[in-house]
Amino acid sequence: LSRIGDELYLEPTESGLSLRAVNSSRSAFASFLFAPLFFQLYEPGSAGPDTELFRCKVHMKSFLGVFRSLPSLEKSVGKCLILLKPRASRLVLQLHCKYGVTKTHNLAFQECERLQAVFDTQSCASRLRAPARLLAEAVVHFPPTLAEVTMGAGPGGKISLRNYVEDEAEPSKTMVTELCLAEDEFQSVAVAPGSHITFCLKEFRGLLSFAEASNLPLTIHFDEPGRPVIFTLDDTVLEVHLVLATLSDLESNSQSPSTNGVSHLPAPSDDFADDLESYMAAMETSEGPPSPIFPLRTPQPAKSKEEEEEEEEEEEGAVPGTPPHKKFRSLFFGSVMTAGRPGLATTQEVLAEDSDGE
Amino acid sequence: MRFRAKIVDLACLNHFSRIINTVAKLAKTCILRLTVCKLYFVLSDKVANGGASMWCELSQGNFFDEFQMEGVAAEHNEIYLEFVPENLWRALKTAQNAKAVKIKLTNKHCPCLRVAVELPSLSSSSRIVTHDIPVGVIPRRMWNDFREPSVPDFDVSIYLPVLKTMKSVVERMKNLSNFIVIEANLSGEMNLKIETDLVSVTTHFKDLGNPPWASEDGCQSSAQGRDLESMAEACIDIKKLLQLLAGQQVNPTKALCNIVHKRIVHFILLHEEVSLQYFIPAVA
């Protein structure tokens, strides 16, 4: 969760304790729901007719600081007690350790609205289920700094993964990596033909390491480009959801298939055109030396997503639909929406209100 | 103009990757020259590279199981490509347990080196990862810019100390100064010196040995008739030296340098299957 946001939302519910996080551009949301059975004791508190169960958010770093060194914690801590004290404005984390030592951490919290992304795995046209290890092995071929990857139906029924090259970057200067995973490597495959989505690797890598460590298979639900992709992990006592915004497929018609279009490069075979003779002929007659190769494009920093959010604010009254040059949008939070604006009704409904109520 | 090659042996693949790693540490972009028998990685001494230049040469037969090349024309049966070696290294990095790696020159939308790595997988078919590395094709009229540099008329030639030791010394010196003086004589002595306002540090190496160079045409080189104790020195950019030393993962069979007093230092690192020459000019 810390790979996604700086604040940890704690929401006790009847069905368990939910820990959630969202990123600053509201294009990534994750929730971990621990069932009551996960705990030795679980008391969510009582909700009255007018009040809801109390929820709050704390600084991610403060919370993580309590659990800093896992190996030593495993050796010394017998029990951990988490107590929410609304009147004292404190979230208490108490570690009962060996030799009668008790470490009590009092964290300040902020009250908050319910943080909930609206998504529906049932309405997704495509679904993939695979052991985390398979996806980890695939992702390793992409550079650690790569921002976005495109995943979709590849040739021959395979699932292809490829690094996403932004339109602004010249395609002739960026290295493109692609790989295909065979259907039989997945536990289940139900993919709409020709479908593909582009999403951020950073948050996904976080979930992937958790999934690998806990040895749980990962299910990926996706639909059309622009609609969020949902990654889920399921266990008897734990339910995990990671929801990521995906890139809208603006120019899939005009773009040549070499970028993020639907048709991928054919599976590497030995018989495609190596026509460099005509290229050489052109080179010999042209003026001037060839342009130097630029170093690899560095991925866009997260900042650019916020800039685009601001752009969105200015476009009040704009026709709903995907404006040009937009990258990942805050698809499922409507964070810059107020009631008066024309809703993004045709593409997605106004979903949860901004929990910070700006 | 065609090129395709294949590596099947894992040891060859690892060795090749290490060479690419070394090249990537020395040059952001460089030239790959392909001939029927050899591959060359060339960095020419342009201002953009800080004046340093590199010439790395290896025999394709020692690495590739298949190697087919058709140059620009019959009488110029070579290919010169400009590329970013870091890209190639990244492509090979995750091919540690590959069944085969194929490299091919293609021109789908722009000239690329397509690296196809065939990896074992649990499914019936192997997993294939392809990397398309963009390259620039260098036209024939520019090939002269990338000729093999000649060995300079040096004042002193000396074998280098153990590279690991040299690297750790230079690494620490880098924190104190941007420039380092290499001086050596024909009695097998070498000093690495830095000097700043506050501190000067010198590391002395001795008994290094001086390689015998046969003089061509029987004419005197600057080194002959030279006083054995007298030092030739050059002050060079310490980062460049460190790049060279840091990029060596395996100890070379032979490592030596030629110093032209106050002009240039010419490093030669020889492994069984690959030779690397690196020139660092002296700063004024």
Side-chain angles (χ1 to χ4, degrees), chain A residues 134 137 141 158 172-173 175-178 181 184-185 258 265 268 270 272 274-275 277 279-280 288 296, chain B residues 1-2 4 87 90 94 104 106-107 109 111 114 119 123-125 127 129-132 134 137 141:
Chain A
L134 174 71
E137 276 174 12
H141 295 285
K158 298 194 179 205
S172 61
K173 306 249 186 325
M175 174 164 145
V176 174
T177 301
E178 179 166 7
L181 298 168
D184 55 8
E185 297 191 83
S258 65
L265 295 174
D270 286 339
F272 50 84
D274 297 337
D275 184 14
E277 271 81 9
Y279 184 91
M280 284 309 296
L296 202 64
Chain B
M1 195 172 64
R2 273 175 220 289
R4 56 162 78 193
N87 284 345
R90 261 218 243 110
T94 50
K104 184 168 178 167
T106 73
N107 186 24
H109 311 281
R114 166 163 282 204
L119 294 162
S123 86
S124 45
S125 50
R127 192 175 301 156
V129 185
T130 59
H131 304 267
D132 284 335
V137 180
R141 63 171 183 272

Side-chain angles (χ1 to χ4, degrees), chain A residues 18-62:
Chain A
S18 180
L19 298 178
R20 298 167 185 206
V22 68
N23 70 352
S24 52
S25 55
R26 303 182 106 73
S27 58
F29 162 87
S31 82
F32 284 69
L33 178 66
F34 294 91
L37 274 178
F38 180 83
F39 305 95
Q40 222 176 9
L41 168 71
Y42 180 66
E43 279 169 12
S46 49
D50 296 326
T51 58
E52 298 174 301
L53 285 177
F54 195 80
R55 29 165 202 272
C56 68
K57 60 179 180 177
V58 294
H59 279 300
M60 190 73 74
K61 283 210 174 70
S62 320

Side-chain angles (χ1 to χ4, degrees), chain B residues 55-181:
Chain B
W55 180 271
C56 177
E57 182 177 318
L58 46 116
S59 293
Q60 59 89 352
N62 288 327
F63 298 90
F64 295 91
D65 293 274
E66 284 171 29
F67 193 91
Q68 294 153 33
M69 194 224 63
E70 251 174 59
V72 167
E75 63 275 12
H76 301 280
N77 198 19
E78 303 189 1
I79 301 176
Y80 283 64
L81 301 170
E82 184 178 24
F83 78 118
V84 174
E86 165 95 17
N87 284 345
L88 182 56
W89 180 62
R90 261 218 243 110
L92 296 174
K93 195 163 73 139
T94 50
Q96 301 299 327
N97 57 337
K99 283 154 82 169
V101 173
K102 293 190 199 162
I103 305 180
K104 184 168 178 167
L105 184 59
T106 73
N107 186 24
K108 278 207 153 289
H109 311 281
C110 61
C112 273
L113 270 180
R114 166 163 282 204
V115 179
V117 179
E118 192 183 333
L119 294 162
S121 80
L122 291 176
S123 86
S124 45
S125 50
S126 322
R127 192 175 301 156
I128 300 188
V129 185
T130 59
H131 304 267
D132 284 335
I133 301 168
V135 297
V137 180
I138 308 287
R140 202 170 355 126
R141 63 171 183 272
M142 298 185 64
W143 287 7
N144 273 333
D145 289 353
F146 308 109
R147 272 172 309 183
E148 179 167 5
S150 44
V151 177
D153 202 13
F154 52 82
D155 296 301
V156 167
S157 177
I158 187 168
Y159 288 114
L160 293 175
V162 173
L163 290 188
K164 205 163 136 199
T165 312
M166 201 173 164
K167 177 181 141 192
S168 58
V169 167
V170 176
E171 242 171 15
R172 274 146 191 77
M173 288 181 164
K174 180 181 77 114
N175 296 329
L176 297 167
S177 168
N178 288 330
F179 299 102
I180 187 173
V181 172

Side-chain angles (χ1 to χ4, degrees), chain B residues 38-58:
Chain B
K38 292 194 177 203
L39 281 92
Y40 303 83
F41 296 98
V42 184
L43 181 71
S44 65
D45 55 354
K46 305 230 171 57
V47 173
N49 305 323
S53 58
M54 165 190 73
W55 180 271
C56 177
E57 182 177 318
L58 46 116

